[in-house]
Amino acid sequence: MSATVESIAAEDERLLPRSPLRRLISRPELGSVLGAIAVFLVFAVVADNFLRAGSLGTVLYAASTIGIMAVPVALLMIGGEFDLSAGVMVTSSALISSMISYEFTANVWVGVGVSLVATLAIGLFNGILLTRTGLPSFIITLGTFLMLTGLNLGFTKLISGTVATKSIADMDGFPAARALFASHLTIGSFAIQVTVLWWIGMVAVATWILLRTRAGNWIFAVGGGRDAARAVGVPVERTKIGLYLGVAFGAWISGQHLLFNYNVVQSGEGVGNELIYIAAAVIGGCLLTGGYGSAIGAAVGALIFGMTSKGIVFAQWDPNWFKFFLGAMLLAATLLNLWIRRRAEATR
Amino acid sequence: MTAPHEPHDPAADAGADHGPGPTPAPGTPPPTGDAAAAETAASGTPLLELAGVSKHYGNIRALEQVSLTVRGGAVTCVLGDNGAGKSTLIKIIAGLHRHDAGIFRVDGAETTLASPRQALELGIATVYQDLAMVPLMPVWRNFFLGSEPTVGRGPLRRLDVRLMRSTTRERLLRMGIDLRDVDQPIGTLSGGERQSVAIARAVHFGARVLVLDEPTAALGVKQAGVVLRRVAAARDEGLGVVLVTHNPHHAHLVGDHFVLLKRGAMAGDHAAGEITLDELTRQMAGGSELAELGHELRRAASPGPDSDE
């Protein structure tokens, strides 16, 4: 037996030790962090106002509104699924909250609570339909996306007669709800939107779940090898349904922010945002095929979005370039991810 | 280790036709507690015993009257060509399918496995060809996947990462694999190493019977050697091993007992001393059928104008 150990150990000597640099390269966040630094430097040079506290606050706010959704969407993608309904689900959540409060002349917290239950129910619907039918999540959530888009417009028109809801700013509980979802804190000369705190909180919780809990282990496993996960006793269905509930929870926070920030909700909003969340997650290192990625990466992806969208304004460029930059960045990030995965999967 | 399964129950055993191993005659009082366990171990009651087990899928007879015995510290090889019923046999032992007829005993007690989970609880661990591993996940996460140890409670309940890492390293070392880095994705290991990790994992989680599905099929000569060493290591730890393979050379190296399957039925049952490698190979290859085929091919090749040359 000892001879065996020796011979194997001798074989091992042929492997090169993994240097800290190589270890760093294999982190999923790496591409997005490098990208974020590059984008930051570019705008710090070309846009005079970019480095001012006020501007950075604006950038962080823009990043947080995407990041609150990009984080749960990233977890879902690590679990190997998509949610195309994520964008309009935010609007649905805001609409439900607003209309319940207004139509029943109730305290806004009633609307907020009903909205939480209803939004989670949408997530549950996605998750159960997916696990029961075994259909691709692309199809199922495309269906939910279209249905929600129609319901948002249809119900709003039916109930309030227009495409937007009535203002709920004068209703009971509004100031407190606004403080929770749409206020800002001032630290010195720096104003931080409360959404930034929600965003950071989501990243922290998601990272904890992913890296330090059994559920996190299962998320990586169901995305990276569903059959293997099932064979060793991982509750695949429960994990996936949980991930859809996570997205729904993010949509609820986002939706409540939307409502309490503007007092009214435009029923046609949110279409297209689902792709922005996915793009942020992919820039952050998530593989489209699942099993790989990080919540921090998705947050950095959202930060890149925030910096680019606001930086272009500060640099006084034509904002029409925005989407082009995003597209280019998405492609670059995907190519980098592909390269990393080939390395990770290559057998020696 | 899983607690030994319910010891001998003479009432259940009465009337059943028995393999080797003394059985208390019907009527004798059932042995109790530790005495029974000690007797079980001493008398060498097989860990696993199949007697005349059959499985039908609709009108297809996938397995017909197959018997085999697995003892601790011994390797039972199941040999057979494609379609011989090896996979069906594995699925029955692993608890994925139930047998339709015959007797399935674990520790001498008749059982019908309802699920893979139940098989695992009885200490029967199956390592499939795909190894049930997630290539992109680190070795230590794969090792504990589905049975992760945790510390803390409530919202602070978390993976015991240090224990997971050190256990993985130590278990692999015991199997003779010195992994420099348990953080590397398991997809970066060689096929033989992955197979070894799967075996180490099964041993760690209390397997008493280790079922290996074609562990050497996709491997080169050297890698196959690595895996066969692990099989021997598991055997030396006292596990009962079921090695399912179509390679008589590999089987003959480690096997203590050989069960040959052919078209779902038993085609042979030999102890290691009773059969030579040549005979095993001949039987595996189809014996007389192969001789006939050789004859036919030779005849076709010599005068054949349409041969390859």
Side-chain angles (χ1 to χ4, degrees):
Chain A
M1 196 60 209
S2 68
T4 316
V5 174
E6 270 168 39
S7 73
I8 303 283
E11 275 177 18
D12 251 7
E13 295 309 314
R14 295 177 309 173
L15 301 177
L16 294 171
R18 267 158 56 102
S19 68
L21 185 69
R22 278 172 77 90
R23 212 176 266 268
L24 187 69
I25 287 176
S26 59
R27 296 292 314 158
E29 301 91 355
L30 180 86
S32 63
V33 170
L34 292 182
I37 292 171
V39 170
F40 180 83
L41 290 178
V42 166
F43 286 114
V45 171
V46 301
D48 296 336
N49 293 332
F50 190 71
L51 289 177
R52 283 171 43 192
S55 311
L56 290 179
T58 315
V59 165
L60 280 181
Y61 171 59
S64 69
T65 54
I66 293 163
I68 287 172
M69 283 304 282
V71 169
V73 165
L75 259 58
L76 181 68
M77 286 180 66
I78 295 170
E81 304 294 346
F82 291 106
D83 191 349
L84 296 180
S85 66
V88 288
M89 204 193 293
V90 171
T91 313
S92 301
S93 184
L95 286 171
I96 293 166
S97 184
S98 166
M99 285 197 266
I100 292 282
S101 302
Y102 190 87
E103 296 304 322
F104 295 98
T105 338
N107 190 302
V108 295
W109 288 103
V110 174
V112 170
V114 171
S115 168
L116 175 62
V117 173
T119 315
L120 288 177
I122 300 170
L124 194 67
F125 175 80
N126 277 336
I128 288 180
L129 208 59
L130 177 96
T131 50
R132 285 287 155 81
T133 61
L135 287 170
S137 56
F138 190 95
I139 297 299
I140 285 176
T141 59
L142 183 63
T144 326
F145 160 72
L146 292 170
M147 289 195 296
L148 286 180
T149 311
L151 286 175
N152 286 353
L153 291 165
F155 262 118
T156 312
K157 201 79 178 279
L158 199 69
I159 291 171
S160 64
T162 63
V163 291
T165 60
K166 304 277 195 323
S167 170
I168 58 161
D170 53 354
M171 305 197 64
D172 290 343
F174 186 86
R178 180 169 211 167
L180 182 63
F181 292 111
S183 61
H184 58 82
L185 316 164
T186 314
I187 303 166
S189 62
F190 201 75
I192 291 184
Q193 290 281 337
V194 73
T195 49
V196 176
L197 301 182
W198 277 107
W199 178 38
I200 292 170
M202 297 275 289
V203 176
V205 171
T207 303
W208 167 263
I209 289 174
L210 264 186
L211 298 182
R212 284 295 174 266
T213 69
R214 303 186 73 185
N217 223 26
W218 297 345
I219 292 169
F220 280 111
V222 298
R226 193 183 55 193
D227 295 337
R230 189 171 281 129
V232 295
V234 171
V236 175
E237 276 77 24
R238 214 144 44 86
T239 306
K240 293 205 168 180
I241 291 172
L243 289 170
Y244 275 101
L245 289 178
V247 174
F249 182 75
W252 174 71
I253 294 173
S254 257
Q256 303 317 300
H257 169 70
L258 206 63
L259 171 61
F260 291 105
N261 203 35
Y262 301 109
N263 310 340
V264 296
V265 187
Q266 301 294 328
S267 57
E269 261 182 58
V271 176
N273 281 354
E274 63 282 344
L275 296 180
I276 292 187
Y277 307 144
I278 291 173
V282 170
I283 289 175
C286 290
L287 287 179
L288 283 172
T289 44
Y292 192 78
S294 87
I296 294 174
V300 177
L303 185 63
I304 291 179
F305 267 72
M307 286 196 292
T308 314
S309 64
K310 298 301 167 195
I312 284 176
V313 176
F314 292 129
Q316 294 175 325
W317 293 351
D318 183 347
N320 292 325
W321 291 100
F322 172 58
K323 288 271 166 68
F324 170 79
F325 284 121
L326 287 185
M329 230 151 3
L330 181 66
L331 275 184
T334 315
L335 287 173
L336 187 74
N337 289 344
L338 186 71
W339 177 73
I340 288 172
R341 186 172 59 148
R342 290 220 171 120
R343 268 176 31 87
E345 280 189 337
T347 47
R348 287 183 233 190
Chain B
M1 269 296 197
T2 317
H5 189 57
E6 198 56 36
H8 262 317
D9 180 1
D13 284 342
D17 101 293
H18 258 283
T23 314
T28 46
T32 48
D34 292 348
E39 190 217 41
T40 303
S43 66
T45 301
L47 292 171
L48 196 75
E49 194 181 1
L50 273 67
V53 163
S54 304
K55 175 75 193 174
H56 301 179
Y57 297 110
N59 58 354
I60 297 165
R61 289 189 298 186
L63 216 55
E64 192 69 33
Q65 295 281 328
V66 171
S67 304
L68 86 107
T69 306
V70 185
R71 288 168 191 283
V75 180
T76 303
C77 295
V78 176
L79 290 136
D81 204 355
N82 295 342
K86 290 177 297 184
S87 310
T88 309
L89 185 63
I90 288 176
K91 282 174 182 159
I92 289 172
I93 297 177
L96 277 168
H97 290 338
R98 294 179 196 196
H99 55 284
D100 295 324
I103 296 162
F104 187 120
R105 290 196 197 91
V106 180
D107 294 318
E110 193 172 340
T111 316
T112 302
L113 296 176
S115 68
R117 180 58 66 185
Q118 193 195 350
L120 276 174
E121 278 162 10
L122 290 172
I124 303 168
T126 307
V127 177
Y128 296 99
Q129 251 173 312
D130 64 9
L131 303 180
M133 284 180 175
V134 184
L136 284 168
M137 288 174 78
V139 176
W140 64 274
R141 283 185 184 269
N142 264 293
F143 194 92
F144 283 97
L145 187 58
S147 317
E148 300 88 347
T150 54
V151 289
R153 50 180 62 193
L156 285 179
R157 188 159 171 239
R158 59 198 182 274
L159 296 179
D160 193 345
V161 175
R162 190 187 299 175
L163 175 78
M164 289 167 79
R165 282 212 173 93
S166 63
T167 308
T168 305
R169 190 172 289 124
E170 180 199 320
R171 275 289 168 178
L172 293 182
L173 205 59
R174 246 171 85 177
M175 279 268 144
I177 310 165
D178 183 14
L179 266 197
R180 193 176 286 282
D181 182 9
V182 292
D183 270 307
Q184 58 187 307
I186 209 151
T188 62
L189 300 185
S190 69
E193 282 173 324
R194 271 194 304 245
Q195 185 71 239
S196 307
V197 172
I199 294 173
R201 175 168 72 179
V203 172
H204 175 73
F205 284 107
R208 299 180 302 140
V209 177
L210 188 60
V211 184
L212 302 172
D213 182 12
E214 298 277 6
T216 58
L219 302 180
V221 175
K222 194 169 176 195
Q223 292 289 332
V226 171
V227 171
L228 290 174
R229 280 200 198 103
R230 303 304 156 249
V231 173
R235 176 197 64 199
D236 294 343
E237 287 204 24
L239 275 78
V241 181
V242 180
L243 178 65
V244 178
T245 179
H246 63 256
N247 188 325
H249 299 271
H250 292 162
H252 201 260
L253 283 173
V254 291
D256 296 301
H257 213 90
F258 306 97
V259 171
L260 282 102
L261 292 184
K262 195 171 165 187
R263 299 168 70 88
M266 301 268 291
D269 185 3
H270 312 278
E274 294 169 2
I275 188 164
T276 63
L277 175 58
D278 285 345
E279 178 60 18
L280 196 63
T281 312
R282 201 187 64 78
Q283 287 202 16
M284 247 306 285
S288 54
E289 278 174 42
L290 196 71
E292 205 173 287
L293 180 69
H295 192 57
E296 185 183 317
L297 289 176
R298 255 195 309 280
R299 213 168 35 195
S302 49
D306 52 355
S307 65
D308 281 5
E309 278 105 351

